[in-house]
Amino acid sequence: MGLTKQYLRYVASAVFGLIGSQKGNIVFVTLRGEKGRYVAVPACEHVFIWDLRKGEKILILQGLKQEVTCLCPSPDGLHLAVGYEDGAIRVFSLLSGEGNITFNGHRAAVTSLKYDQLGGRLASGSKDTDVIIWDVINESGLYRLKGHKDAVTQALFLRERNLLVTSGKDTMVKWWDLDNQHCFKTMVGHRTEVWGLVLVSEETRLITGAADSELRAWDIAYLQEIDDPEEPEPKKIKECPGIQDTPEAEDRTLEADDEKSEDRILSCRKAGSLMREGRDRVVNLAVDKTGRILACHGTDSVLEVFCILSKAEVQKKMDKKLKKARKKARLNSANEEEDPETSVSMTLQDEILRVTKIKTSAKIKSFDLIHSPQGELKAVFLLQNNLVELYSLSTSLPNPQPVRTSRITIGGHRSDVRTLSFSSDNIAVLSAAAESVKIWNRSTLQCIRTMPCEYALCSFFVPGDRQVVIGTKTGNMQLYDLASGNLLETIAAHDGALWSMSLSPDQRGFVTGGADKAVKFWDFELVTDKNSTQKRLSVKQTRILQLDEDVLYVCYSPDQRLLAVSLLDCTVKIFYVDTLKFFLSLYGHKLPVICMDISHDGALIATGSADRNVKIWGLDFGDCHRSLFAHDDSVMHLRFVPKSHLFFTAGKDHKIKQWDADKFEHIQTLEGHHQEIWCLAVSPSGDYVVSASHDKSLRLWERTREPLILEEERELQREAEYEESVAKEEQPAVPGETQGDNYFTGKKTIETVKAAERIMEAIELYREETAKMKEHRAICRAAGKEVPLPVNPILMAHGNISPSAYVLETFKGIRSSELEEALLVLPFSYVPDILTLFNGFIQTGSDVELLCRCLFFLLRIHFGQITSNQMLVPVIEKLKETTISKVRQVQDVIGFNMAGLNYLKRECEAKSEVMFFAEATSHLEEKKRKRKNRRKMILTLT
């Protein structure tokens, strides 16, 4: 049976108008060997790489459906780890722009990402209170650390020791020993959420920022550095302005320190506090790679910069302080011949100096620091108004002044876009917000014109596409010339907000509706410009229709016979245009009608309301054809596709939906926006749809030639719902674990379920083919000759391999990060066959590392059933022998390779004599230093 009606699919084409979204953080990245020039910013579900020098977008890292929440570049600068709202983590290559590694382990948004010094491990913290350590090289999770009671805000590896320190919104700072995955210390010296922490002074000091104006400093002493078994006395710090010690907080901290335990690794004592100028909470706290510059900011637009002095600089400062104190004491002393004994105490302000503060143009969302080769400090900011700014600071000067060196503004609006319009040739797109009007080229997505304006609510292109008209919140109309970008005229149209405008079908004028309960009719006219002899476009008011309620929306019928007006009393009234007489009243909505549109033939009018419904009416008699529950929140915009009875609706539920007004069916849902959608526009050809959202992004949707069948669309929707329900199901129970505890790093997803199904299918095929081969051998013996064996098409497609080899290929084809979860959901009935196959694979020495990982995991989760099964005892005994011998062989090969690489390294160093020159230079500098000291001693003696 043929299709009665064919629809064409709309797909997402591009995201533009967005510089950086608010949920993630901005980071410097290294591209083409240049540092400090390129930054990565989150852009909804993508990551944009911006060139700060040119202000251009040079790379887009295509992401998942979820919004980006966290970014972290690898130490080698070749990769970028990206955390998402659903807890997934992807590692992108900055050279190719592809995300080859995906980790699924968290059940909520990723809030923190941090690489270790070598870049082999990645620590991730999440809103689900867990910390997971991932092996980036093996593409798998190592272990899950449970202990925090609220979202994890920061995680840091220590360079010299296998330790991890984490902070959370539960007011705790926890120290983890990664050798045994144990939390050995919990710092409880904070009364509010800990939002950030950094390690400075060669990891001997920890600085934390909480939800107050106090930066707390903690001195770290490691166990091997403490000679006396008794606890050392805490360093006393003299009270001075800017330093604050809270006895209650210190007592709470010492409660954990006083507990004696044999597995103590370090001691952490409070060294003092540094008061910030801001009184709000710390949003970000960071230190540059040199460990010398510390910076933090709150919820305002000020970044405070501190300098951490070295030991030599601190000693020099203390010597000056002591000399000044002695001089002052000598002056105050009665006996000038005696030198009074004086002493000075070191405060935290002597070690950490306040350098300057950087004031940005808007509130700071996140920042990153980098030292340029010229010695300047560069600070890049992602601001809350869709803006990126770069400041440079010379740290060598005594009072450095920050200078703004770059700014990315042209790529987006500073506030939410409230109105969109297409030009008549489908090429230009107009977007207007509270501060500016921008004209975009649809094909290149470049902004070709930016014009300042008042708070815009509605807009349209004047016929000819040379001028545009904007309706504002103050009731003014602003007329702009696109060629020059100038404001031609501002007309006071309404006393209140100008909510809606509609261009007349004859293109000679338009109608406006505002909050002053009036509908006004305007005509275009040419007037002589005062500044030149040429004429320019202007408008004049011709008629006015006064109503009893505020006008929310106005719309002409295509034949210009009728005018539909939406009022605040939840009704839509229709008037004759020529006489302005009342014709129909459409009532039925429970809340005001926010948007509406009339079809091209004037037969139907569709209205969208804040009550989440869309109603389709006939314009002949005003009868309601159908009421559709369209969105889960208010319907914000509605537009018919030209020359059809299909229309689009946009809602506050982040979705755009396409409907058929004849069959009253939902055709397609366009998902992509992450916040409320304010407006949309359909091109005159109907091939393009552009939408604007509260997430600051503009999205372009394109009509393809692919036919859309409703039954298939419903089936795809059901499959998506099933996959979502599978991901939400509880994890399989593991023997030895209590309910709710899951110490495995992965989580159940539809990919892991499909991987388990592939393993089961491979085992089933292996069983069938094994049974067929037994039957074939029996047939051959009975016939007394060789009978041809039928070949399985699946095995033939993989190169005519054996069934056991096909099973091995299936295991190798599963992602490393999904392997354990796939084995976890595998029924036990397949495990005996897997163990038998593994025995044969390991004996041949193929993929020993992968097979041992699978084997040990299966033994761990099915230990009771395997040991109680007498049939599997000989298989386990054989596996024990073969596994130990083959693993030792692999260890020997790796050890030999490592020894060879070390030998080659020593040979290269000996040839280049780098080590010799470095040692000789250090010895020479030490001799010079000693010679200078000797000369000073001789001069003082003489």
Side-chain angles (χ1 to χ4, degrees), residues 822-872:
L823 293 174
L824 190 61
V825 300
L826 199 67
F828 179 74
S829 59
Y830 295 92
V831 174
D833 291 320
I834 292 176
L835 295 180
T836 306
L837 287 168
F838 279 7
N839 187 26
F841 295 149
I842 295 176
Q843 282 180 355
T844 59
S846 57
D847 296 286
V848 175
E849 186 179 353
L850 171 66
L851 296 175
C852 285
R853 182 183 166 196
C854 297
L855 174 63
F856 298 151
F857 186 80
L858 289 173
L859 290 174
R860 178 183 173 188
I861 61 176
H862 297 295
F863 179 76
Q865 289 174 290
I866 291 174
T867 53
S868 62
N869 192 337
Q870 296 298 322
M871 302 290 292
L872 293 177

Side-chain angles (χ1 to χ4, degrees), residues 732 748 752-753 756-757 760 820-827 857 861:
K748 185 179 179 181
T752 60
V753 173
E757 289 174 353
M760 290 189 283
E820 292 182 351
E821 285 298 315
L823 293 174
L824 190 61
V825 300
L826 199 67
F857 186 80
I861 61 176

Side-chain angles (χ1 to χ4, degrees), residues 337-350:
E337 295 179 359
E338 295 182 2
D339 193 7
E341 292 185 3
T342 57
S343 63
V344 292
S345 59
M346 185 188 301
T347 64
L348 192 63
Q349 280 192 331
D350 295 324

Side-chain angles (χ1 to χ4, degrees), residues 248-260:
E248 298 86 354
E250 194 158 355
D251 291 341
R252 291 173 62 197
T253 309
L254 296 179
E255 287 177 7
D257 291 338
D258 290 339
E259 296 177 0
K260 303 294 182 180

